[in-house]
Amino acid sequence: MRVSPILAALFLALSCAHAETLHDLAGNWRLERLSGAADFDRTKTRLQIAADGAVSTTVGCNRASGKARIEGDKVSFGHLAATRMACPPELAGLEFKYFAALEAARSLRLEDSLLALLNERGEEIAAFIRQ
């Protein structure tokens, strides 16, 4: 079957319409929602993404840094090197869930100032607000 050049161009344009780039995501983000975490201090949980993919983050205790890889709506966070300070139990639990969410992220959705990370089933596992 032969596809017309017009249909091929239209398909390509539609498939790229939701593609994100590191440039689109570069900036400071505040954690708004986290799967499995009911209540947490949203003022301390930050994710910074640089235009080159460098990532730094914290939930208010340990800091972590590494690289994000973005291709269209696919995302992965490489190994994040983190400090290992002792944290209060409630913060340590939040931190564990947060870093697990970053590790489980497979795709993203960017709508206005909201960045959602999705797992392999397409379920939201974390959502951030642009700062």
Side-chain angles (χ1 to χ4, degrees):
M1 177 170 85
R2 188 170 172 186
V3 177
S4 81
I6 294 173
L7 284 176
L10 180 61
F11 176 76
L12 181 61
L14 290 174
S15 66
C16 292
H18 296 289
E20 309 303 340
T21 65
L22 283 169
H23 179 73
D24 297 330
L25 301 173
N28 296 312
W29 299 88
R30 182 193 57 168
L31 186 64
E32 183 65 21
R33 296 187 300 267
L34 180 63
S35 180
D39 192 30
F40 55 91
D41 186 348
R42 286 163 176 78
T43 65
K44 294 183 180 180
T45 306
R46 301 270 187 248
L47 173 66
Q48 295 174 316
I49 303 173
D52 67 354
V55 172
S56 62
T57 190
T58 184
V59 296
C61 186
N62 287 298
R63 293 180 313 272
S65 60
K67 282 281 203 179
R69 183 175 177 171
I70 312 288
E71 292 180 359
D73 68 345
K74 303 299 180 209
V75 64
S76 64
F77 293 89
H79 173 74
L80 296 178
T83 58
R84 296 182 180 255
M85 298 185 306
C87 305
E90 65 280 355
L91 199 52
L94 173 66
E95 187 175 85
F96 179 81
K97 291 174 185 173
Y98 177 68
F99 288 134
L102 292 179
E103 186 176 318
R106 297 294 178 263
S107 62
L108 59 88
R109 184 177 61 242
L110 181 61
E111 297 173 358
D112 298 321
S113 63
L114 180 75
L115 168 63
L117 299 180
L118 312 172
N119 63 17
E120 63 187 15
R121 294 181 301 278
E123 301 164 333
E124 181 184 291
I125 52 178
F128 299 84
I129 299 290
R130 188 181 295 274
Q131 298 298 284

